[in-house]
Structures are given as C-alpha cells and as structure tokens.
C-alpha cells in the first residue's frame, strides 16, 4: 500500500510539564497527545470483523474487551489470509491502513464484544464473501526473498472445546 505523510510540528518549551501529568517514576513517563488531520479518508464500504471475550483455547474472559479486540483482529487476519495474503502481510497492513476498532458491547454478560472495520477499497481484489466462494489464489508474486502465499484452500481451524458435544 503506497501513501504519503505530511507532518507539522510545534515545539512548546516546557510543554510536557505544563500539559502532561507523568504516569510513572520520572517526568518522562507521559503519554503523548496529538491532533489528527482535518482530512479524513473517504471510504464508503467496510468489512467488519467481530470478536468476543473468549480466547483461542475456549476460555471465557469475563467482559474483557482486550481479549475481544484481539479476537476481532485475529479473525480478520485469518479471513484475509484466505485471499492469498500471508498472515504477516495482513498484520502489517492492519498496522497502517485506516481501520476502525470499536468496543461494540460490554452489556452481554459474560461477553465483551469488539469490532474491527477495514475499508474494502484498499485491496487489489474484492474481499467480500461471495456465493461463488474464495478466489483461486495465490495473488502474490514472489521475487527473491519476498514472502510467498500458497493458498491451497485448506486452512487450519480451531474447534472451541466448549462447543463439542459430550462424548465426542
């Protein structure tokens, strides 16, 4: 994904002491504050992934939004890897694309729910689910040491132990 960055900085002498409260043992333990650009990306179609507060082993984490968000991200990574992208590529993409993460619900005890929305327009192919199924991959071309994607149509899946029928 190509892009550009325009950065404007104003240095305020003594600004850390005046505006920020240290959250640790030294005055350098502060969290930055910043103003975002007035220009926002204009995307109209998003694909949303959901996660709840149940980890990969099927263990319930009572109203833990961090686990729910982690599951939403992992669901997204797993889904996009079916389109010929490596999981590492999807991870890198999510670190820089204009995705939107939200805490979507903390009222459905014992589950917290989080969502991750990604714009479909940033991809070189249509990533939305279709009746015709997944495209025949791979879409990636390997050159030298670049990672390759070998989509075989069969990915490892995880069976939640809590959903297994007794005696199976």
């Amino acid at each position: 994904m190509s892009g550009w960055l325009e950065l404007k900085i104003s240095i305020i002498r003594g600004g850390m002491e005046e505006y920020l409260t240290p959250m640790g043992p030294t005055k350098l333990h502060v969290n930055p504050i910043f103003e975002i650009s007035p220009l926002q990306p204009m995307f109209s179609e998003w694909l949303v992934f959901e996660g709840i507060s149940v980890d990969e082993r099927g263990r319930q984490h009572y109203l833990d939004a961090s686990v729910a968000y982690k599951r939403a991200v992992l669901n997204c990574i797993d889904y996009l890897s079916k389109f010929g992208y490596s999981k590492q590529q999807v991870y890198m993409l999510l670190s820089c694309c204009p995705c939107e993460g939200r805490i979507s619900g903390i009222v459905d005890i014992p589950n917290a729910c989080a969502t991750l929305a990604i714009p479909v327009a940033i991809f070189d192919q249509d990533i939305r689910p279709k009746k015709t199924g997944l495209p025949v991959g791979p879409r990636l071309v390997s050159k030298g040491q670049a990672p390759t994607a070998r989509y075989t149509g069969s990915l490892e899946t995880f069976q939640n132990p809590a959903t297994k029928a007794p005696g199976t």
Side-chain angles (χ1 to χ4, degrees), residues 44-163:
S44 60
E45 295 177 318
W46 301 77
L47 194 58
V48 180
F49 299 88
E50 183 179 271
I52 60 171
S53 53
V54 177
D55 68 18
E56 299 82 23
R57 296 183 307 264
R59 184 170 161 246
Q60 173 67 48
H61 294 264
Y62 187 80
L63 295 178
D64 191 333
S66 296
V67 173
Y69 189 70
K70 175 185 170 187
R71 291 304 313 153
V73 170
L74 291 175
N75 290 340
C76 176
I77 290 171
D78 183 62
Y79 178 83
L80 291 176
S81 69
K82 295 176 182 182
F83 288 86
Y85 305 104
S86 72
K87 291 188 177 189
Q88 294 84 0
Q89 288 172 320
V90 178
Y91 182 81
M92 295 293 290
L93 175 73
L94 292 177
S95 72
C96 63
C97 80
C99 56
E100 293 186 10
R102 295 192 174 135
I103 306 302
S104 302
I106 305 191
V107 294
D108 187 18
I109 293 175
N111 294 320
C113 177
T115 55
L116 173 68
I118 56 172
V120 296
I122 65 172
F123 293 93
D124 63 348
Q125 59 183 312
D126 189 359
I127 60 162
R128 293 173 287 202
K130 293 174 221 37
K131 289 181 182 180
T132 57
L134 292 167
V136 178
R139 286 290 191 117
L140 303 176
V141 177
S142 172
K143 291 187 179 180
Q145 297 297 321
T148 60
R150 293 185 177 93
Y151 179 69
T152 62
S154 59
L155 291 175
E156 186 177 322
T157 58
F158 174 77
Q159 174 67 40
N160 183 341
T163 62

